[in-house]
Amino acid sequence: MSKNALLHIGWTLLRLSSLLVAVSILAFGLVISSPIDPVDAYVGSESGVSQEQRQNVAAYWGLDKPPGERYFIWARNMLAGDMGTSITYRLPVSQVIAERFQTSLALMGTAWVLSGLLGFILGVVAGVYRGSVLDRGIKTFCLILSSTPAFWLGLLLLTLFAVRLEWFPIALAAPIGKLSGEVTLGERIHHLILPSLTLSITGVAAIALHTRQKLIDVMASDYMLFAYARGEKKWPAVRRHGIRNIMLPAITLQFASFSELFGGSVLAEQVFSYPGLGNAATLAGLRGDAPLLLGIALCSAVFVFTGNLLANIIYCLVDPQIREERSHG
């Protein structure tokens, strides 16, 4: 491995470590500044628990220590591989995140692929028929989608397809009353369709408008004019010279959208009561579950960092100018 490659890997790991430290401090500060009392959230504010029992609960979870000491204890255990125990689920944080992330990954992965494919196709069609009624219709559709809140769209789809038409289940990731091992793949997909459709539609606009503009630039280039001069028709010329040039930037943009994808999944999971990582983050915030909230914050930071890193790598592979600049930088 070359020296430049080792320096790049080392710089990447240093940036990731700095990001995780900053995210953990910020998340911890927000949690302890919250007006929610974790002991109240744990035992219930209306319960008949005595003051002594409340103190015992606080001592059990380490809530009786100063905030700075609690953070350093958490950071020390974290470096040793222990992410703590969730107050909400009474399970190790690593176990809760692993189980919930698998569910969220299916949702986000499906939505990511659907939004990329649909957005790219719409962008190509709008770019080829620039200025037509079809182009104006796609642009209007994308502008409406980009200003539509994900939770509102989810409620609309839920009301229409789950309540009125009864084509899809209202909530959850599996039928009620079935054990995890008894749920079939078809039932999981049936429960996944509406949440993933909600999440994918909100991500279509950016990729479609970007692809449209890129294709318009390509169609006005000299090599496309040369292709027309040689007698090539519009669609064959677009397929041979246009798609190839706009596909990789579109894929890069799609990788860079991981942060919007993760944020949108939180709203979609809340609307459909989908038991993923976003749903767990909401419960952790409402109950002052600092260990779980810190674990999810770090997990989301790594997830978004990975998406941006993949986007940068693809840019370097696609654009020789950037690759050359970094090799000399």
Side-chain angles (χ1 to χ4, degrees):
M1 189 176 290
S2 67
K3 181 180 178 182
N4 285 335
L6 289 173
L7 286 175
H8 182 69
I9 293 173
W11 176 243
T12 302
L13 293 176
L14 180 62
R15 283 194 303 156
L16 176 60
S17 303
S18 305
L19 175 68
L20 293 180
V21 171
V23 168
S24 65
I25 294 174
L26 180 62
F28 188 80
L30 292 174
V31 170
I32 63 172
S33 303
S34 169
I36 300 173
D37 186 349
V39 178
D40 278 343
Y42 181 71
V43 302
S45 57
E46 302 298 329
S47 64
V49 176
S50 66
Q51 186 62 29
E52 183 181 358
Q53 290 172 317
R54 290 173 58 84
Q55 290 175 353
N56 291 334
V57 171
Y60 177 79
W61 292 111
L63 301 173
D64 57 339
K65 294 181 173 60
E69 185 178 350
R70 286 166 55 193
Y71 176 78
F72 282 112
I73 291 174
W74 172 85
R76 185 187 59 200
N77 294 334
M78 180 73 189
L79 291 175
D82 181 9
M83 300 181 73
T85 303
S86 168
I87 298 174
T88 307
Y89 297 96
R90 304 182 194 181
L91 291 172
V93 170
S94 56
Q95 181 182 341
V96 175
I97 291 179
E99 292 174 355
R100 295 300 185 113
F101 188 67
Q102 288 180 6
T103 309
S104 288
L105 197 59
L107 171 62
M108 291 190 288
T110 306
W112 187 78
V113 172
L114 284 177
S115 64
L117 288 176
L118 186 58
F120 188 76
I121 292 171
L122 289 177
V124 169
V125 173
V128 170
Y129 297 106
R130 178 189 182 187
S132 66
V133 175
L134 187 59
D135 177 33
R136 290 197 292 272
I138 291 175
K139 279 200 301 182
T140 304
F141 176 68
C142 291
L143 292 174
I144 291 174
L145 283 184
S146 63
S147 56
T148 302
F151 74 91
W152 182 85
L153 184 63
L155 289 174
L156 189 66
L157 295 177
L158 189 68
T159 304
L160 178 61
F161 293 106
V163 178
R164 293 287 179 88
L165 300 177
E166 299 182 356
W167 289 356
F168 299 100
I170 294 177
L172 303 178
I176 298 175
K178 274 196 169 185
L179 297 176
S180 177
E182 298 174 346
V183 181
T184 64
L185 179 62
E187 289 172 334
R188 293 188 187 279
I189 294 175
H190 194 210
H191 281 257
L192 183 65
I193 290 177
L194 278 187
S196 61
L197 191 60
T198 301
L199 194 55
S200 63
I201 286 178
T202 55
V204 164
I207 192 72
L209 295 175
H210 174 270
T211 302
R212 173 187 176 275
Q213 188 57 48
K214 282 289 182 184
L215 186 58
I216 289 174
D217 294 340
V218 168
M219 292 183 72
S221 62
D222 292 339
Y223 57 85
M224 283 294 285
L225 295 177
F226 182 67
Y228 291 144
R230 288 187 306 178
E232 288 193 44
K233 300 297 182 184
K234 180 182 287 187
W235 274 107
V238 168
R239 189 176 65 252
R240 290 178 184 173
H241 309 291
I243 301 293
R244 185 176 299 175
N245 287 311
I246 65 173
M247 182 176 288
L248 287 177
I251 293 174
T252 307
L253 178 67
Q254 191 69 354
F255 272 107
S257 67
F258 272 25
S259 58
E260 291 86 355
L261 187 68
F262 196 91
S265 72
V266 175
L267 298 175
E269 289 177 9
Q270 279 301 110
V271 171
F272 293 96
S273 298
Y274 201 79
L277 204 57
N279 197 299
T282 305
L283 281 177
L286 292 175
R287 298 184 179 180
D289 190 346
L292 182 57
L293 206 55
L294 287 173
I296 293 176
L298 294 183
C299 182
S300 63
V302 172
F303 181 76
V304 174
F305 184 88
T306 303
N308 291 331
L309 179 63
L310 290 174
N312 289 333
I313 292 173
I314 293 174
Y315 258 124
C316 289
L317 295 175
V318 172
D319 194 334
Q321 292 181 345
I322 295 179
R323 187 167 62 242
E324 188 173 350
E325 287 176 2
R326 294 195 175 179
S327 65
H328 289 87

